[in-house]
Amino acid sequence: MATTRIQLNVNGTEHAVEVEPRHSLVDTLREACGLTGSHIGCEHGVCGACTILVDDEPVRGCLMFSVQADGKQIRTVEGLANNGAFNALQQAFHEQHALQCGFCTPGMLMLATWIVERDTPVSDDQLRDLIASNLCRCTGYRNIIRAIRAVLDQSGNAEAGP
Amino acid sequence: MKPASFEYVIAESWDAAAALLAEHGDDAVVLAGGQSLVPVMNFRLAQPAVLVDLNHIPDSAYLRIEGDCLRIGALTRHARFEAPGIDGPLGRLLPRIARNIAHLPIRMRGTFGGSLAHADPASEWCNLARAFDAVMIAQSASGERRIPAADYFQSALTTDLADGEVLHEIKIPTLGPDWRCGFVEFNRRAGDFAIVQSVAAIELREGQITAARIGIGGATEIPQRSDAAEAVLVGGPPTPERFAEAAAAAAGSVEDLLTDHQADADMRRDLVRVMVQRALEDAVASGEGQA
Amino acid sequence: MTVIGESVPRLEDRALLTGIGRFAGDQNFEGQLHMRVVRATVAHGRILSITTEDAAAMPGVFAIWTGADVADVPPINLRPGSALQDLEKCRQHILAQEIVRYVGEPLAVVFADDPYRAEDGADLVWAEIEELPPVVGLMDALGEFAPGISTEPAVFEKSYGDVDAAFAGAAHVIECELSVGRHAGVPLETRGALAVWNEAEDRLEFHAAAKIPHTNRIALADLLGLELEQLHLFEGHVGGGFGVRGELYPDEVLVNLAAMRFRRPVKWIEDRMEHLIAANHSREQTHRIRAATDAEGLILGLDDAFWFNQGAYARTHGATVPLISATMLPGPYKIPAYRTTGHIRLTNVTPAGTYRGPGRFETTFVREQLMDRIAAELKLDPLAVRRTNLITSDEMPYERPFEIGGKPIFYDSGDYPKSLARLLDYVGYDALQVEMVARRAAGEMAGAAVICFVERGGDGPFDDVRVEMDAGGTVEIITGVASVGQGVETVIAQICAETLGMDYAGITVTHGQTDRIARGQGARASRVTVMTGNATHKAAMGVRAMLLAKAAELLQSPVKTLDIVDGVIGVGGMSGDGPSLTIAEAAAEILRHRDASRIAVEETFENDRATYSFGAQLAAVTVDPLTAGVTVERFVVAYDIGRAVNPMLVEGQLVGGAVQGIGGALFEEFLYDENGQPLSVTFADYLMPTAAEVPDVECLVLEESPSTTNPLALKSAGDAGVTGAGAAIAAAIGAALGQPGAITRLPVSPLRLREILRKPSQ
């Protein structure tokens, strides 16, 4: 039960926290860092509700131990808005009704952030395949895909064909 | 589903990892990508006392051609294989396999070596390793051991790796320009564990198959090469009839098929036939337009 | 000004998009204990002993309870009106008392200072259980399930018309046996609860409550021996309900009891594996059904018997699901004579409750497959058989001469053939089938089919709403509903905004707080838009009347000359032309002469008639003949909602529901082995659709038949996506195989479909 002190950089802010090695990254973000936006849906890596960006890569926060994230750059849903103003993805999700209960939404937003930040065209099939990484039980996915497509189109990310 | 407590140690080198495993024996397991290990720990099916983190070992993730062989650093993430930057038929095959492994966030962390060490019957890399005669290079406190794929897989989730051994590199012989490779798998949903999968590679010279490698995964406890299918293929043309015959031979000769609530042995046998045939068709189709 | 009917974006979104939601897991109280449930690992057994010493010695463990510690708490009651025959005897204690009856049944609870340590403690609780033979077969011969309780504690009949005469005079009799597999809502957020004893107020506070807070408050207070005033429930954000979350489970009762006894806050969040074996299951039914038809396929009578797998205990819903199944099976067809016998069975598996479209997903599958079988046997087109039997508009309102919940069933309005025609027209049905025929001729196994159903909603009997306005013109609507993520706040705000002539964004909607309004019916059975919507309209009309009366006085103009547009009260309805004042000014004036900071009007809307709406769905699928894998190419939901308050939200419900339904049609099943051991215990076994398994679901939201049961003419939409999906997929697969009616069991897994493919076709 010995704890160790680690440093997590979350959305640009340093958090010095005491953790046990077995504390998952998503648990530490939620509890010690007080950032409850990332959710826990299954704790075996399937549902994706805990998806966050670690060093700009989407990963399952439930399958990393906090100690593994020491010194890494972590981005969560709380870092997306700019002084309360929605970013493009949040605005698109809002306009396209891409969320209902909102539980999968932070994971979807972080996955989508990775998708839109890459400088690679994404076809509709590829987009659907990427969104298949995360489960949603409310929306049926249609509006989530539309919202991300809208942002891709805005940023001039031309479709790569089906 | 929180795991039991453990002591966490970072290995700064392969030697250090081996030394830690020697020191702790059964009490220790290694942590690579964690995408298979951590769920097992969260379910408390495994409760190691010590977790040795391999992720800080320098130069542990790489894809390098050396002579006629591809050297794969054990910590190479699945995602890396989606754009491996390796020429040749093997290099072109890797992304076709990689994109079938789970989903993107899992591929960002999961590793090639981790898959080989975990040896799940549905593992795509295990199937590839067996079919292409990979050599596993294991390190322990007493040195290095080279384990050919034919000897490496023992049973579901069990390999020839001994206590104190850690996989640090995998070598796969590359394929010459006359080879065509294909891969298919059958599962309930995209990204699920494959119920049955097949990797097929045929060497074509002047319209004749001169060599073949047919790998079957997911159907049995350990991945298999189908000698029967390969025997049918070699010495003839790559026709649909020959492929069908090879597929039937593969299905007819596979033994000890797995059975579970997704698919019984009978269904798996049929799927072996279908997957081998389709993998061969995929090999020919993917080869079109190649030099 | 209109906002009803506009697809305005949701008021709920901000908190959820910025990660500041308050789901159960997000809430914490100082000094809280974490509860972890120890669950039975055998399906049936006698508890010989439970050893807790090792667990109690673990660091951080505060207390451990076993059955003896809570033996004084009565079993959880069935909801009033839902009991039938012997079901009351089948209630569940909050911790097993002597006998365990399903894998997952709570045996003990461990309380610790953090959830990791609670789980460490729970691992060391040893239960010695003498195994007893489990009952696992739904259709086994009758026997004893528990002392004095049969494996069939209730059997009932619903009927109307002369069924025997129908069969005697029939040209054809068609028989089938059809089954739906056990599955459930499985929301993405697992269940959880927090309870705090508020010393200052001498009351217990149950946080992260859901679905039916007022109903649960009454039931829970009764169980815990509290006066009603000593218990309040508070809802935060809820990660999906689908019928499963929010019923009173042993776990929530234990959390509250512990907070009461320990006088410390107690928090409980179940994990995914627990959810899959302990939260309500649903859907598992087997029907043996016969249809008597004339030579043209018109159904003269239906004779049905079905078996419903309740699992190991009766849960709060009692006999609700089988009763709804019995009364909704005829669906949108005339069916002049009908008889069904419902057998409620107990088995040693996880108990069952409702799941979205309860009784309708199942019976729509049964009825629509029967229609396809009639078509196959009579060599008629499946669509023609449906048209022949559909209730027509001149037959509305159409009575089914039996009751549900003591209320008669009247399909209030609808032009079913016309709505069906709208779907066929939208998809270009004739051309689509020509294309499918050509594809099949070319060797592809591709098919498309249309099925029909009726949905119900707007369950009363009442809803109370209080609309309050302050001197700044800001409105708060206090309701007794609950949110499970469906957009309750936005829809209610829209209705209020239109009634008051103001911007909906200036309105907050409070729900799920039992200390803000005395009564409530929560969110279930797709009732909120209809019931709460009408109550809101009524209360808002009261506020409007007050504002107009004050404005009439101040503007020296009769009330009937005034209108409110964009928050401004003026003559003739257009602002800027003549004297006017803002809503805020009027409100401030009213309040100046009162000893209150808010205007408040509370109204009750009563309604004992549910609304019934027609839907039709088209699915197009391809089947891989060699692997038996199914691909859904296209899925279209047509639904006559009468009047849509927010079309975008209606579509959201239809699309989401359809994808859940596709899950139940192809992937989702709680499987058990012969010892009652659950096999579907992780998301690697219980498979739900990802984006890759479903197409973009298309919606045709029809507003043709406004409801006649309520002043706003509203109907509901919550269940209309899921209800037909099992039937639609099954029918499409039948079409792809060239064998309408071939599918007799859901989900259509490759393992099952393979058996059908291997049979020589007729």
Side-chain angles (χ1 to χ4, degrees), chain C residues 3-76:
Chain C
V3 65
I4 292 180
E6 298 296 308
S7 290
V8 297
R10 297 194 327 170
L11 298 172
E12 292 88 333
D13 286 357
R14 171 157 290 278
L16 299 169
L17 285 168
T18 54
I20 56 171
R22 296 187 73 246
F23 296 91
D26 305 336
Q27 299 184 41
N28 292 294
F29 291 91
E30 186 86 39
Q32 69 193 359
L33 292 166
H34 292 262
M35 187 178 94
R36 174 80 180 172
V37 180
V38 179
R39 299 182 184 276
T41 53
V42 301
H44 189 204
R46 173 169 292 107
I47 302 171
L48 300 176
S49 66
I50 302 184
T51 314
T52 61
E53 284 75 30
D54 290 341
M58 289 293 283
V61 171
F62 173 83
I64 302 175
W65 287 350
T66 63
D69 294 298
V70 300
D72 57 322
V73 178
I76 297 175

Side-chain angles (χ1 to χ4, degrees), chain C residues 140-489:
Chain C
D140 286 354
L142 295 184
E144 188 184 72
F145 184 74
I149 302 176
S150 156
T151 52
E152 190 166 286
V155 57
F156 64 91
E157 187 185 287
K158 289 278 180 200
S159 65
Y160 62 79
D162 191 339
V163 175
D164 295 326
F167 277 84
H172 299 275
V173 172
I174 292 91
E175 252 183 79
C176 0
E177 182 170 313
L178 297 151
S179 302
V180 177
R182 202 169 191 75
H183 63 286
V186 190
L188 207 59
E189 182 197 12
T190 59
R191 297 173 304 154
L194 296 94
V196 186
W197 182 266
N198 185 328
E199 205 62 60
E201 308 268 357
D202 192 42
R203 72 184 193 187
L204 183 61
E205 297 173 349
F206 173 4
H207 293 267
K211 191 184 185 186
I212 42 171
H214 288 82
T215 308
N216 283 341
R217 180 186 181 220
I218 295 167
L220 191 56
D222 188 51
L223 265 182
L224 300 178
L226 290 170
E227 295 299 319
L228 200 54
E229 306 74 61
Q230 288 185 294
L231 174 64
H232 275 293
L233 273 63
F234 304 94
E235 181 182 78
H237 285 105
V238 173
F242 314 121
V244 174
R245 184 198 316 278
E247 291 300 317
L248 206 54
Y249 287 95
D251 322 81
E252 283 97 342
V253 178
L254 286 162
V255 171
N256 280 278
L257 184 65
M260 232 173 83
R261 288 192 179 167
F262 299 147
R263 292 300 207 253
R264 277 181 71 170
V266 177
K267 178 172 179 175
W268 165 75
I269 308 292
E270 73 176 349
D271 66 36
R272 182 53 63 186
M273 188 175 233
E274 291 184 273
H275 181 85
L276 293 173
I277 62 174
N280 282 345
H281 287 184
S282 197
R283 297 282 199 251
E284 189 182 348
Q285 299 185 15
T286 293
H287 286 248
R288 289 182 179 152
I289 187 166
R290 300 161 64 225
T293 77
D294 69 10
E296 282 77 48
L298 178 70
I299 294 173
L300 305 171
L302 283 184
D303 187 11
D304 175 69
F306 71 100
W307 285 260
F308 173 82
N309 191 345
Q310 176 54 41
Y313 294 101
R315 280 258 160 93
T316 49
H317 292 109
T320 305
V321 178
L323 287 169
I324 297 176
S325 305
T327 53
M328 293 298 290
L329 191 149
Y333 306 119
K334 294 184 234 267
I335 319 286
Y338 168 67
R339 172 170 61 217
T340 186
T341 307
H343 300 257
I344 300 178
R345 289 294 190 99
L346 296 175
T347 60
N348 292 106
V349 301
T350 305
T354 55
Y355 165 29
R356 202 172 192 179
R360 282 99 71 190
F361 175 93
E362 304 88 309
T363 57
T364 298
F365 166 70
V366 169
R367 179 191 64 250
E368 295 298 308
Q369 281 304 90
L370 179 64
M371 302 307 272
D372 273 4
R373 285 287 290 276
I374 291 170
E377 292 203 24
L378 272 58
K379 305 209 189 331
L380 297 169
D381 173 63
L383 184 62
V385 172
R386 289 166 167 89
R387 278 175 165 144
T388 300
N389 284 280
L390 271 184
I391 296 165
T392 56
S393 59
D394 49 303
E395 294 172 290
M396 288 294 176
Y398 194 83
E399 189 192 5
R400 290 278 183 223
F402 43 36
E403 292 183 340
I404 182 149
K407 285 167 271 182
I409 297 183
F410 275 98
Y411 295 173
D412 42 315
S413 63
D415 185 340
Y416 296 177
K418 182 174 170 201
S419 298
L420 174 60
R422 291 283 307 272
L423 172 64
L424 300 175
D425 191 57
Y426 170 80
V427 301
Y429 184 79
D430 293 338
L432 176 62
Q433 289 296 16
V434 165
E435 185 200 319
M436 285 298 177
V437 167
R439 287 171 69 181
R440 286 196 290 275
E444 228 189 310
M445 232 175 222
V450 171
I451 58 91
C452 304
F453 61 92
V454 169
E455 249 309 305
R456 68 187 295 274
D459 236 29
F462 70 86
D463 223 65
D464 295 341
V465 167
R466 189 168 70 253
V467 174
E468 295 184 356
M469 180 181 283
D470 66 16
T474 311
V475 172
E476 183 186 1
I477 306 173
I478 298 98
T479 72
V481 304
S483 166
V484 289
Q486 70 278 52
V488 158
E489 293 172 29

Side-chain angles (χ1 to χ4, degrees), chain B residues 31-284:
Chain B
L31 174 67
Q35 308 299 282
S36 300
L37 178 65
V38 179
V40 166
M41 289 175 67
N42 285 351
F43 283 115
R44 298 201 176 200
L45 294 171
Q47 301 190 28
V50 180
L51 205 61
V52 177
D53 189 345
L54 304 177
N55 290 280
H56 294 249
I57 298 175
D59 197 35
S60 55
Y62 49 83
L63 294 173
R64 292 179 193 137
I65 298 284
E66 208 173 76
D68 56 3
C69 139
L70 172 64
R71 295 178 59 191
I72 302 171
L75 269 290
T76 310
R77 313 280 171 190
H78 302 313
R80 173 79 196 275
F81 291 83
E82 293 184 68
I86 304 279
D87 290 331
L90 178 60
R92 283 192 295 276
L93 174 63
L94 296 172
R96 299 168 72 82
I97 295 178
R99 67 175 184 232
N100 284 281
I101 299 174
H103 292 288
L104 179 80
I106 305 292
R107 297 199 289 270
M108 286 293 181
R109 296 291 302 164
T111 65
F112 192 98
S115 284
L116 266 295
H118 186 62
D120 189 291
S123 159
E124 289 85 353
W125 294 140
C126 291
N127 187 13
L128 176 73
R130 178 68 186 90
F132 283 31
D133 280 323
V135 176
M136 270 46 86
I137 304 183
Q139 177 145 359
S140 68
S142 33
E144 207 178 73
R145 185 164 74 102
R146 304 164 66 83
I147 315 168
D151 303 332
Y152 176 78
F153 300 100
Q154 306 281 301
S155 64
L157 306 173
T158 315
T159 68
D160 192 53
L161 287 174
D163 285 344
E165 280 188 320
V166 60
L167 259 191
H168 98 247
E169 182 179 283
I170 298 90
K171 285 179 141 117
I172 304 185
T174 52
L175 300 170
D178 295 326
W179 283 84
R180 304 282 177 263
C181 304
F183 178 84
V184 287
E185 68 177 38
F186 178 73
N187 43 26
R188 296 290 296 277
R189 302 173 306 172
D192 281 351
F193 287 112
I195 294 174
V196 174
Q197 55 174 276
S198 179
V199 62
I202 49 177
E203 185 183 44
L204 280 180
R205 289 198 174 138
E206 288 155 22
Q208 295 285 92
I209 299 172
T210 47
R213 292 173 175 276
I214 304 294
I216 300 163
T220 50
E221 290 211 9
I222 61 176
Q224 315 229 336
R225 264 186 81 173
S226 179
D227 299 327
E230 292 170 14
V232 168
L233 290 165
V234 173
T239 60
E241 294 75 29
R242 187 158 228 100
F243 288 172
E245 202 192 318
S253 61
V254 68
E255 288 178 339
D256 299 319
L257 289 157
L258 293 172
T259 186
D260 56 33
H261 58 276
Q262 301 268 25
D264 56 21
D266 215 40
M267 180 171 162
R268 277 198 166 81
R269 189 180 299 280
D270 279 352
L271 285 171
V272 167
R273 184 177 51 75
V274 179
M275 292 298 111
V276 169
Q277 174 141 11
R278 289 184 180 173
L280 285 164
E281 288 162 5
D282 186 52
V284 168

